[in-house]
Amino acid sequence: MVPHLITALTGPINELEQRILDSMPAIERWFRLEWMEHTPPFYSSVDIRNAGFKLAPVDTNLFPGGWNHLTDEMLPLAVQAAMAAIEKICPEARNLLIIPENHSGNTFHLANIAQLVRIFNMAGLHVRVGSVSPDLKKATITELPGGDKVVLEPVVRTRHRLGLKHFDPCTILLNNDLSAGAPGILEELYEQYLLPPLHAGWSVRRKSRHFQCYEDVAKRFGKMLGIDPWLINPLFTRAEGVDFEADAGLEGLRAAVDATLTKVRRKYKEYGINEKPFVLVKPDNGTHGLGIMTVRDVRELDGLSRKARHSLALTQDGQAVHDVIVQEGVLTRERVHQAVAEPVVYMMDRYVVGGFYRMHAERGDDENLNAPGAAFVPLAFERSHHLPQPGARPGASAPNRFYMYGVVARLAMLAASYELEATDPQAEVYD
């Protein structure tokens, strides 16, 4: 099953897919050379939107949840990628400690943790799950609906190491995005590998920095492929000092929204696209689809209700929003069971390992789908999820479509590697 595009405006994307398929050897060599110079994030997931006339990543997660949505058929790829990733970092690794989110009662998150435990067990590691929540005082067993169970244990900190009682890991895998900041117990671990690093968390990370890195990557990739980078790159700008509750900083936000909508209108006119442009206002730091608003006209920012202002003012863990990213909205023209859908691609090390469609029956094609009520359908990897079929008509072949998604997702992953290099507190700074 290839979710169908419901638009006649598939020309540019079909042309892009054909260009990508024809250029596959050059693309793979380009990535290979990039990975000789840069280190990929340990794992990542990328939300992609396919408008028919434009294909672009709209969010990149460096602490991806949702691994439980990957099917059993995808696990061998994930296990092989996990082996390669661990071998590069700590070849003699025996024990791995996974740190989940602090909300230990969330069975959806724990099902994702159970899948990660399964993947790294099959990669040859002893895996246990340790919580940094000060509320967890003893080992807790949670039975999950699918029959799995997760044993959550309180972490034990010694001078430079973190572990569990009678368990000393070489490597610690964070599946906690640190929205509320990095707890001190995770700092100064000089004798262990912490993956991803603390500066990948939302206490340091900014979406605007990521998409600036992505813009640079898209320009270089577009030049290599001979395409307009806009076809794979969402325009964006940043607005600072916004306080939705106090109605402060909204003039700057209005100016940012107006400028971005104007740029998008120009591109739509250039390509003869008969759609109404829109932008998404998102917290510059934060995840889980919170605090996001779709804006089609700058006047929509006038007279926001108190409820709307409150929902925009806070993000994960109750963190206040002060800086926002105004991002070009990319329609999604894909449908699964008549519901609006978008692909989410999962990667470990530099490899695409699987993914799924996030679908939402109650949302429109210009809205954020990462919201309560979303459902998940595995990507239809009929044979191989990223080996294309030369000669197949563009848009007709699942492997070809998913290879294209994998290319765009890897561009976002490469941008994340640039981003982490730029924010690494251990990196030397040169004038």
Side-chain angles (χ1 to χ4, degrees), residues 305-327:
S305 68
R306 178 174 295 182
K307 181 180 179 182
R309 290 202 308 270
H310 182 70
S311 68
L312 291 167
L314 298 174
T315 184
Q316 178 79 348
D317 291 328
Q319 299 299 300
V321 174
H322 296 298
D323 300 328
V324 299
I325 178 174
V326 177
Q327 185 181 65

Side-chain angles (χ1 to χ4, degrees), residues 286-307:
T287 183
H288 295 277
L290 299 175
I292 297 177
M293 179 184 183
T294 299
V295 181
R296 302 164 193 81
D297 189 302
V298 71
R299 288 172 292 187
E300 294 173 24
L301 295 172
D302 299 329
L304 289 173
S305 68
R306 178 174 295 182
K307 181 180 179 182

Side-chain angles (χ1 to χ4, degrees), residues 2-6 48-51 55 331-336 339-343 357 365 369 401-402 405:
V2 183
H4 61 282
L5 297 177
I6 61 159
I48 295 174
R49 305 273 285 205
N50 187 347
L55 176 74
L331 294 166
T332 178
R333 291 308 200 189
E334 303 212 63
R335 299 291 183 273
V336 177
V340 174
E342 65 188 9
Y357 274 94
D365 58 7
L369 303 187
R401 173 85 63 79
F402 299 143
Y405 289 165

